[in-house]
């Protein structure tokens, strides 16, 4: 019977060899499942985290994951290692499931020493897919770059790790399981998360909107948000069950690539273009931090979404007072800047990756932020938050009585439209992509003033960020090139892939307030895309004449 074990816990020390490839990327350590299945691989990284953060005895740790293959195994292992390191309590969700924003919220609520999140986010799952793990600090935010580097350095020196022997854990039984001085607590993640959402949004109004016959479709892509969506949309808002698609979390995400974007979730684009399209179609990713929003005949691009949120926040009870400031990642379009300018608010520009927003949020400098990669969030957690974004839009539709296409057209009429697209070029040989970036970087000083396929370069630089809160500098965060025709191209390499390299090329062109706003983005950006290919000599370096994906 749990609880019958006597104190102190039995702890063994297990010898191992260090791995030297455990450097975290944009958001934690991500590798193929087969890499994680090497002897002691996960153990080495967890030991490195625990040694680096050195939690005080008796501290609480939040441990949860997105339900992908190896999730429960990982949670049991981390629990035993945490107990061996003197952690007093591990808190997880039922079945070990916690969405990334819910885990971030719990870290803050429980004043935990941090959280270990088992996720490779939007990467595919299953035995032949990806696995990942990341550490979040007591503020709930992702480890800053300096801490990630310290964990990596520690991992390179790990020759043994500690493991407590515990009886079998029951991750499916809510409540506390006591083992001497150590406790495992299994909580109802969706209930805790839904309560917070009720404090931010007008649930009565949204329920009435649904009762009036408006239709919602939320696709969980067989990932972590299914139970959360069921709790919020069906149980608390009364939406019919058919509002949810693929709501059961599965270890291989039912074969989905759980990345809510027009390529990997093309079926939702088709649904939006159907004559009987629901009023709001939405989806989230593997770990629940991304969001995709669609309305009849229209995808709301994430760059626009965060701008519309800022422009309309006063319509929502939780955001009536607006925000102290806002932020976007550098490659994200300047649609947000246009609204911030009109409202007289500071708009910060950070490198790619949510971790760069955390200091700004902690310091109260911003209250809303977003990335082009389908990530939007606010100050209630320190992670981007998929369902929060869906509720923001649902509340906006209910409060204004307007449709998504109507809201978007009005927005563009007022601020102009920033046509936007990201072109990804995937190569098996990472060296080719690195060579392209290196060459561009070397050519930067000579670019300004030059003519490039019909437009003059006004500024070309490698983005370097200086954090206004702690003064830390992050250099080489993406090459950005501005043109006289008000267009912009950004080049950077992905930091979340698990094979080869992906060159991301971000294209943007502003169409002023009185212009044409109903055109297709790809067509509007064709000239800028061509310019990007020429300037970066993309075909020369990658051998690809066309992008692997246009998102
Ligand atoms: C990508 C996105 C970035 C996002 C990161 C993590 O990184 O571009 O905006 O923060 O994924 O998102 P990269 O380095 O591959 O471009 V998630 O949902 O995987 O936590
Ligand atoms: Co994610």
């Amino acid at each position: 019977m749990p609880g019958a074990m006597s104190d102190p816990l039995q702890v063994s020390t297990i010898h191992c060899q260090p791995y030297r490839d455990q450097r975290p990327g944009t958001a934690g350590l991500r590798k193929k499942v087969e890499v994680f299945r090497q002897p002691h691989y996960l153990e080495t990284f967890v030991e490195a985290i625990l040694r680096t953060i050195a939690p005080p005895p008796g501290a609480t740790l939040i441990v949860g994951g997105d339900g992908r293959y190896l999730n429960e195994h990982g949670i049991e292992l981390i629990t035993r290692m945490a107990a061996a390191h003197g952690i007093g309590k591990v808190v997880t969700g039922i079945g070990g499931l916690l969405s990334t924003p819910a885990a971030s919220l719990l870290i803050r609520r429980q004043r935990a020493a941090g959280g270990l999140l088992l996720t490779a986010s939007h990467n595919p799952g299953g035995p032949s897919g990806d696995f990942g793990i990341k550490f979040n600090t007591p503020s709930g935010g992702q480890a800053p770059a300096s801490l990630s580097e310290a964990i990596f350095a520690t991992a390179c020196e790990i020759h043994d790790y500690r493991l407590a022997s515990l009886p079998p854990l029951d991750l499916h039984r809510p409540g506390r399981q006591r083992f001497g001085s150590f406790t495992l607590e299994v909580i109802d993640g969706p209930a805790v998360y839904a309560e917070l959402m009720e404090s931010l949004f007008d649930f009565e109004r949204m329920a009435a909107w649904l009762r009036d016959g408006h239709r919602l479709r939320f696709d969980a892509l067989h990932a972590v948000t299914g139970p959360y969506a069921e709790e919020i949309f069906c149980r608390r808002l009364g939406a019919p069950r058919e509002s949810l698609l693929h709501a059961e979390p599965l270890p291989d995400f039912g074969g989905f690539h759980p990345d809510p974007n027009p390529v990997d979730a093309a079926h939702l684009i088709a649904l939006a273009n159907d004559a009987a399209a629901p009023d709001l179609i939405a989806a989230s990713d593997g770990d629940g931090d991304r969001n995709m929003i669609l309305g009849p005949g229209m995808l709301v691009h994430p760059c626009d979404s965060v701008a519309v949120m800022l422009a309309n926040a006063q319509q929502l009870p939780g955001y009536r007072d607006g925000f102290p400031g806002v932020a976007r990642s550098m490659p994200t379009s300047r649609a947000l800047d246009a609204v911030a300018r009109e409202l007289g608010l500071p708009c910060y520009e950070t490198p790619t990756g949510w971790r760069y927003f955390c200091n700004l949020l902690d310091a109260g400098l911003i209250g809303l932020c977003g990335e082009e990669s389908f990530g939007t969030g606010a100050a209630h957690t320190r992670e981007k938050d998929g369902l929060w974004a869906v509720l923001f839009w649902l509340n906006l539709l209910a409060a204004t009585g307007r449709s998504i296409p109507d809201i978007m057209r009005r927005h563009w009429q007022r601020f102009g439209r920033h046509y936007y697209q990201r072109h990804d070029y995937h190569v098996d040989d990472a060296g080719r992509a690195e060579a392209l970036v290196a060459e561009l970087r070397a050519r930067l000083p000579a670019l300004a003033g030059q003519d490039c396929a019909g437009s003059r370069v006004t500024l070309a630089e490698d983005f370097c960020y200086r954090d206004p809160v702690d003064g830390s500098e992050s250099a080489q965060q993406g090459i950005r090139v501005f043109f006289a025709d008000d267009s912009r191209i950004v080049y950077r390499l992905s930091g979340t892939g698990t094979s080869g390299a992906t060159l991301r090329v971000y294209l943007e062109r502003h169409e002023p307030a009185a212009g044409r706003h109903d055109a297709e983005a790809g067509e509007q950006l064709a000239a800028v895309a061509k310019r990007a290919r020429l300037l970066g000599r993309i075909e020369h370096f990658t051998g690809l004449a066309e992008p692997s994906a246009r998102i």
Side-chain angles (χ1 to χ4, degrees):
M1 192 194 123
M5 267 186 68
S6 59
D7 226 6
L9 297 168
Q10 280 183 3
V11 173
S12 12
T13 300
I14 292 152
H15 293 279
C16 60
Q17 292 297 316
Y19 288 94
R20 301 191 190 277
D21 65 344
Q22 298 194 325
R23 174 175 261 141
T26 310
L29 181 69
R30 283 184 202 175
K31 302 277 178 193
K32 295 262 174 243
V33 163
E34 66 197 34
V35 174
F36 269 101
R37 288 176 100 172
Q38 297 173 93
H40 313 299
Y41 192 88
L42 180 56
E43 290 86 336
T44 304
F45 192 68
V46 173
E47 181 73 19
I49 292 174
L50 292 170
R51 282 193 200 172
T52 309
I53 63 168
T60 297
L61 210 57
I62 309 300
V63 182
D66 61 14
R68 70 180 59 228
Y69 184 73
L70 290 186
N71 192 58
E72 288 197 21
H73 159 76
I75 286 168
E76 287 180 21
L77 177 79
I78 293 168
T79 304
R80 294 165 68 201
M81 291 182 68
H85 277 265
I87 290 286
K89 186 164 84 166
V90 160
V91 179
T92 191
I94 297 170
L97 292 178
L98 282 178
S99 77
T100 289
S104 174
L105 164 70
L106 279 171
I107 294 170
R108 296 168 69 77
R109 285 264 170 101
Q110 302 249 352
R111 297 185 196 288
L116 274 84
L117 281 59
L118 301 181
T119 171
S121 189
H122 54 283
N123 298 22
S128 56
D130 293 347
F131 189 73
I133 172 167
K134 62 180 177 179
F135 176 72
N136 281 30
T137 67
S139 81
Q142 292 174 20
S146 54
L147 178 55
S148 292
E149 282 301 304
I151 292 170
F152 171 56
T154 309
C156 291
E157 300 300 327
I158 296 282
H159 291 275
D160 55 58
Y161 62 90
R162 284 187 288 160
L163 196 62
S165 66
L166 300 175
L169 308 171
D170 187 351
L171 297 178
H172 294 267
R173 181 161 55 87
R176 295 199 169 122
Q177 297 164 47
R178 289 207 171 84
F179 309 102
S181 58
F182 176 76
T183 304
L184 171 70
E185 186 174 358
V186 178
I187 57 126
D188 183 345
V192 174
Y193 178 81
E195 237 167 70
L196 175 74
M197 292 301 117
E198 282 190 327
S199 74
L200 297 174
F201 298 110
D202 188 343
F203 271 53
E204 270 173 38
R205 195 151 200 174
M206 293 190 282
W209 185 81
L210 288 163
R211 273 199 307 276
D212 286 348
H214 292 101
R215 285 182 310 129
L216 161 77
R217 279 289 177 289
F218 177 81
D219 194 339
L221 302 172
H222 283 309
V224 77
T225 49
Y228 291 80
E230 200 173 328
E231 175 70 32
I232 292 171
F233 299 127
C234 300
R235 244 171 257 138
R236 302 202 184 204
L237 289 172
R241 185 57 230 193
E242 70 251 27
S243 308
L244 303 188
L245 301 172
H246 312 116
E248 185 197 355
L250 297 174
D252 66 348
F253 305 126
F256 276 113
H257 185 164
D259 193 350
N261 68 53
V263 174
D264 297 299
H267 62 291
L268 297 181
I269 300 280
L271 181 61
N273 288 331
D274 194 279
D279 300 279
L280 172 61
I281 304 166
S284 189
D285 69 331
D287 62 331
D289 57 0
R290 297 188 176 205
N291 74 89
M292 178 156 88
I293 305 288
L294 305 108
M298 185 174 275
L299 164 76
V300 179
H301 194 279
C303 294
D304 285 336
S305 177
V306 66
V308 170
M309 284 180 175
L310 176 60
N312 294 281
Q314 74 287 350
Q315 315 254 18
L316 272 57
Y319 297 100
R320 200 140 277 156
D321 298 336
F323 304 102
V326 294
R328 62 166 172 82
S329 69
M330 182 273 281
T332 301
S333 92
R334 291 162 289 172
L336 182 63
D337 308 41
V339 182
R341 209 175 306 123
E342 191 167 303
L343 297 177
L345 291 179
C347 180
Y348 297 85
E349 192 174 28
T350 57
T352 293
W354 206 260
R355 60 189 177 184
Y356 293 101
F357 294 134
C358 292
N359 270 353
L360 300 172
L361 288 162
D362 284 346
L365 293 175
I366 62 166
L368 176 74
C369 41
E371 290 192 283
E372 52 69 41
S373 53
F374 295 77
T376 329
H380 63 284
T381 61
R382 290 296 177 273
E383 291 276 7
K384 54 189 184 266
D385 191 343
L387 281 166
W388 170 87
V390 178
L391 284 168
F392 197 112
W393 272 92
L394 180 58
N395 201 158
L396 189 57
L397 298 181
T400 59
R402 296 192 197 288
S403 69
I404 286 184
D406 189 19
I407 290 174
M408 291 316 301
R409 290 197 180 105
R410 282 167 189 266
H411 187 85
W412 293 328
Q413 266 162 30
R414 195 165 152 208
F415 298 100
R417 177 171 177 184
H418 291 77
Y419 280 106
Y420 189 88
Q421 213 170 46
R422 189 182 89 208
H423 289 186
D424 287 346
Y425 294 83
H426 185 79
V427 285
D428 292 331
D429 175 5
R432 289 169 161 231
E434 283 156 13
L436 182 153
V437 172
E439 191 200 69
L440 253 181
R441 195 170 277 141
R443 280 164 50 209
L444 278 176
L447 277 183
Q450 268 192 30
D451 228 55
C452 179
S455 192
R456 189 172 48 82
V457 175
T458 52
L459 177 70
E461 62 178 16
D462 200 346
F463 181 56
C464 177
Y465 178 64
R466 188 167 187 283
D467 186 305
V469 180
D470 65 18
S472 61
E473 279 199 2
S474 305
Q476 301 197 333
Q477 294 297 321
I479 289 169
R480 49 180 184 174
V481 185
F482 297 87
F483 296 89
D485 64 0
D486 209 13
S487 60
R488 184 187 70 160
I489 302 171
V490 176
Y491 302 83
R492 64 177 281 280
L493 299 183
S494 159
T496 57
T498 56
S499 70
T502 301
L503 168 72
R504 301 203 195 282
V505 181
Y506 307 84
L507 312 166
E508 179 186 349
R509 186 180 79 73
H510 184 242
E511 180 70 44
R516 283 185 62 210
H517 299 139
D518 265 330
E520 204 261 315
E523 169 210 305
Q524 289 295 310
L525 289 162
V528 184
K530 184 173 165 211
R531 205 184 290 162
R533 282 198 295 272
L534 288 173
L535 185 63
R537 303 214 296 147
I538 293 178
E539 190 169 355
H540 167 81
F541 281 103
T542 66
L544 298 168
E546 291 291 322
S548 323
R550 294 180 168 84
I551 287 175

